[in-house]
Amino acid sequence: MGTGTSTGKQQRRGNTRQRIQDVALELFAEQGYEKTSLREISERLEVTKAALYYHFKTKEDILVSLFENLTTPIDELIAWAKEQPRSLETKQEVLRRYNVIFTKATPLFRFMHENQATIRDLSIGESFKQRVIGMVNVLRDPDSPLTAQVRCFSALTTIHGGAIALRDAEGDLEEKQGATLEVAMELVTRAHEES
Amino acid sequence: MGTGTSTGKQQRRGNTRQRIQDVALELFAEQGYEKTSLREISERLEVTKAALYYHFKTKEDILVSLFENLTTPIDELIAWAKEQPRSLETKQEVLRRYNVIFTKATPLFRFMHENQATIRDLSIGESFKQRVIGMVNVLRDPDSPLTAQVRCFSALTTIHGGAIALRDAEGDLEEKQGATLEVAMELVTRAHEES
Amino acid sequence: MGTGTSTGKQQRRGNTRQRIQDVALELFAEQGYEKTSLREISERLEVTKAALYYHFKTKEDILVSLFENLTTPIDELIAWAKEQPRSLETKQEVLRRYNVIFTKATPLFRFMHENQATIRDLSIGESFKQRVIGMVNVLRDPDSPLTAQVRCFSALTTIHGGAIALRDAEGDLEEKQGATLEVAMELVTRAHEES
Amino acid sequence: MGTGTSTGKQQRRGNTRQRIQDVALELFAEQGYEKTSLREISERLEVTKAALYYHFKTKEDILVSLFENLTTPIDELIAWAKEQPRSLETKQEVLRRYNVIFTKATPLFRFMHENQATIRDLSIGESFKQRVIGMVNVLRDPDSPLTAQVRCFSALTTIHGGAIALRDAEGDLEEKQGATLEVAMELVTRAHEES
DNA sequence: AATGAATGAGCCTTCATTCAT
DNA sequence: AATGAATGAAGGCTCATTCAT
């Protein structure tokens, strides 16, 4: 009783760092970064505030560590894309994978979206912005017109929006995902044809 | 002596409430709601913090008063649209006007966008969400497919995005505005044809 | 009962700033700057810590304000000296006044002496150093030899030392003061004759 | 391989205690005792904080251990002096040796001087005071007049002062040392003649 | 219409220290 | 001989808010 493989409370030891990240994301997402205090996090974990500081240098550091789940896959995707031929198929595959990344990291991304003012001057702002620019550069062709560029950007934000807004909207989730991806695909296809 | 229409510094007197709103918006937009302190606002105005409390009951109260500049015009636009025939031309005009509203209220909207986590539990969240739903309902046709709905929503967010993201992007502002509107228009046109 | 002109506890209001300074000096002198916490100061005053921050921007600021009792008179003395003829009489009078300043600010100066490691990187270090240089420049003549300059400097440090070390030494205070001043005078006189 | 007498970096092993002392003195002297944290020390040594606790019981303990470089030689000097005839030659030799001790321990003594407020309630204060008294007792004769006692004390503080102040002063170091010792000698000689 | 003075709660962070391993 | 993980206490500071004047 109380043991077993459940994710119960007793499984302390060795995984505190992970647990901090989990709880932090949960609370950051729920209440925002500023409004979540380290006291709150530590209380939820039944540790002292000081313990957090053993694992992370600052509050911001906790946040940054969270974002590695998002930035690392994007970096990998961009790297992968650069090695592929710049065909329409590649672009579509990039979009598909991009969508998967965001689908998986929805809570984190939603948090980011809802806390931009905070994120902006927290180093993650710039960090993420760079990734989006990187993505646009991978999707658009070198000398394509401005509208093509806007379309690529719009395709990306459509996926972003899908990851966030569609949660609330009514209807079947998979279906909505499909719709989102479809719209994004169209935009990139159009952009591709323009160049 | 001391009067005149100039926007000079000396024209204190009677308009403090307005000045508080101006400065508050400026700072909220620049740094976020939580990170802007009443001290900061009052210092910028060269008044004491206590003075703010003469004009507004709480910090949140200042924010609420600001949003009346955005919700009122949208309400009026929705009302106007409902009286027009549900034609493509109407929809396009709605989009154009919607774009104008956001172009004018950019700082406020940008602020809202960047502070959702905060806004959310500040009563303004729901308030704005209702307006967007109202807008979608005005753009889409009653029995249109899901993709059409997504397109209308996407058109709206494209404008939102344009008001926000395009500021930073390179290129001529008017041109970028045009591109934004064009993309939005296309989406709504497509949605219109789908129904 | 309880009123009157006594320096009792009830005389709050309007003099809090002063009271903070008094208590702060007392505690800083007694325990050192670092080891004195704002909590301690505020508790002694029966005010909240936040109240301290109404009157002073930072902890260091309290310290700096304390030092104005030392730096302001020195600045005034330097200014005064610059308007006088550069005669021996003037120099002697300057020394006399300098001595008075330090005699009055003994606790503060002693604090400074006992907390050099702290003071050093607290902006007061440099600030005080500048005053001493200013004093030397007032005492020495433009083209006097190096030894004259050293003598002037030595005269100053003699006074400094007198303010600190003589307290502990045995003997009549006035008498010791006199001896200190006498030595300082001799040094400046010698310097004067050299130029 | 890996041994040798070089003071290279690789020679960890067995001398950690010594290395802690070295780094601690360096940092204490540079920043003051309070402002130097054990984290800082351990980081500089590339060890964990806990490692410090293997070698020393407390932070203060590190400091105390440092002072043994000063107190032990003084104790030995006092012990030696007590076995010698109480002649002028002995006293002069004592002074010479005392000066050597301080010349060698300058950084430590300077630290002590700059952190008096801290030292004072750290047990070292009293500890050092006792040694100075011991020294005076060794220098002065049993029934000598008060002035003789003052002279002996003054001789000691002259050496102290020389160790600190002379560093910064201009001029040849050896020469200044000589001057210091000369003055101290004079004082003790005078005292000796008085008794 | 606004100020001066103050509060209470809370924040992020740092520190010396401990202890099982 | 040293580490990894954590603690309890405290520190400086900021904030929204209040209220008598």
Side-chain angles (χ1 to χ4, degrees), chain B residues 20-70:
Chain B
I20 293 173
Q21 290 178 313
D22 293 348
V23 170
L25 176 51
E26 203 177 321
L27 290 175
F28 286 167
E30 202 179 290
Q31 324 177 327
Y33 177 76
E34 329 258 10
K35 289 209 312 238
T36 301
S37 69
L38 295 187
R39 177 180 54 70
E40 228 168 337
I41 295 176
S42 65
E43 264 170 17
R44 192 102 130 201
L45 286 166
E46 293 176 293
V47 216
T48 45
K49 265 186 294 175
L52 305 184
Y53 279 87
Y54 178 80
H55 294 282
F56 297 92
K57 254 172 88 171
T58 64
K59 187 186 180 188
E60 181 174 352
D61 213 46
I62 299 181
L63 187 61
V64 170
S65 85
L66 250 26
F67 267 87
E68 274 149 29
N69 291 343
L70 190 57

Side-chain angles (χ1 to χ4, degrees), chain C residues 131-191:
Chain C
R131 262 82 185 185
V132 173
I133 292 174
M135 282 297 299
V136 171
N137 285 337
V138 145
L139 289 176
R140 67 157 179 160
D141 292 307
D143 308 309
S144 55
L146 192 59
T147 49
Q149 203 173 325
V150 171
R151 277 194 177 87
C152 292
F153 182 73
S154 187
L156 259 23
T157 56
T158 298
I159 290 176
H160 295 170
I164 292 169
L166 250 44
R167 280 287 147 120
D168 299 335
E170 55 195 29
D172 175 58
L173 185 62
E174 300 248 334
E175 204 179 337
K176 288 182 296 181
Q177 291 278 329
T180 301
L181 202 47
E182 195 184 318
V183 173
M185 288 289 200
E186 261 174 43
L187 284 159
V188 165
T189 305
R190 190 95 119 196

Side-chain angles (χ1 to χ4, degrees), chain C residues 102-158:
Chain C
F102 276 85
T103 305
K104 279 187 179 152
T106 300
L108 183 58
F109 183 60
R110 172 177 241 126
F111 160 78
M112 183 176 140
H113 190 249
E114 288 178 347
N115 290 268
Q116 285 180 67
T118 296
I119 295 293
R120 197 195 312 142
D121 38 38
L122 273 187
S123 90
I124 291 180
E126 191 55 23
S127 160
F128 184 74
K129 204 171 182 173
Q130 291 310 322
R131 262 82 185 185
V132 173
I133 292 174
M135 282 297 299
V136 171
N137 285 337
V138 145
L139 289 176
R140 67 157 179 160
D141 292 307
D143 308 309
S144 55
L146 192 59
T147 49
Q149 203 173 325
V150 171
R151 277 194 177 87
C152 292
F153 182 73
S154 187
L156 259 23
T157 56
T158 298

Side-chain angles (χ1 to χ4, degrees), chain A:
Chain A
M1 174 221 204
T3 54
T5 53
S6 74
T7 46
K9 285 192 155 198
Q10 297 323 104
Q11 48 145 181
R12 296 289 191 75
R13 198 148 282 127
N15 60 341
T16 304
R17 199 188 141 92
Q18 184 59 242
R19 290 172 64 232
I20 293 173
Q21 289 177 314
D22 293 348
V23 170
L25 177 50
E26 203 177 320
L27 289 175
F28 287 168
E30 200 179 293
Q31 322 178 328
Y33 176 78
E34 331 257 10
K35 290 212 307 244
T36 301
S37 70
L38 296 187
R39 180 182 51 71
E40 230 169 335
I41 296 177
S42 66
E43 263 170 18
R44 192 103 130 200
L45 286 166
E46 294 178 292
V47 212
T48 52
K49 264 188 294 173
L52 305 184
Y53 279 90
Y54 176 77
H55 294 283
F56 298 93
K57 258 171 89 170
T58 62
K59 187 187 180 187
E60 180 174 354
D61 212 47
I62 299 180
L63 189 60
V64 169
S65 85
L66 252 26
F67 268 86
E68 273 150 30
N69 291 342
L70 194 56
T71 52
T72 305
I74 295 180
D75 284 343
E76 286 166 3
L77 176 55
I78 291 174
W80 175 84
K82 280 183 175 159
E83 286 170 9
Q84 307 309 116
R86 205 182 273 277
S87 66
L88 182 56
E89 284 70 40
T90 297
K91 292 174 183 174
Q92 290 176 339
E93 179 59 18
V94 164
L95 235 43
R96 239 173 264 121
R97 295 186 181 197
Y98 193 70
N99 194 38
V100 168
I101 292 171
F102 276 85
T103 305
K104 279 185 179 152
T106 300
L108 183 58
F109 181 60
R110 172 177 242 125
F111 159 77
M112 181 177 144
H113 190 249
E114 290 178 345
N115 290 269
Q116 285 181 66
T118 296
I119 295 294
R120 196 195 313 142
D121 38 36
L122 273 188
S123 90
I124 291 180
E126 191 55 24
S127 159
F128 185 75
K129 203 172 182 173
Q130 291 309 323
R131 263 82 185 186
V132 173
I133 292 175
M135 283 295 299
V136 171
N137 285 337
V138 145
L139 289 176
R140 69 156 178 160
D141 293 306
D143 309 311
S144 55
L146 189 60
T147 49
Q149 203 172 323
V150 172
R151 278 194 176 87
C152 291
F153 182 73
S154 186
L156 258 24
T157 56
T158 298
I159 290 176
H160 295 170
I164 293 167
L166 250 45
R167 281 286 150 119
D168 299 334
E170 54 192 30
D172 176 58
L173 184 61
E174 301 249 333
E175 204 180 338
K176 287 183 296 182
Q177 293 266 341
T180 300
L181 202 47
E182 195 185 318
V183 173
M185 288 289 199
E186 263 174 41
L187 283 159
V188 164
T189 305
R190 190 91 122 199
H192 186 76
E193 285 159 1
E194 266 182 324
S195 55

Side-chain angles (χ1 to χ4, degrees), chain D residues 36-43 49 52-53 58-59 62:
Chain D
T36 301
S37 68
L38 296 187
R39 178 179 54 69
E40 227 169 337
I41 296 176
S42 65
E43 265 170 17
K49 264 185 297 175
L52 305 184
Y53 279 87
T58 64
K59 187 188 179 186
I62 299 180

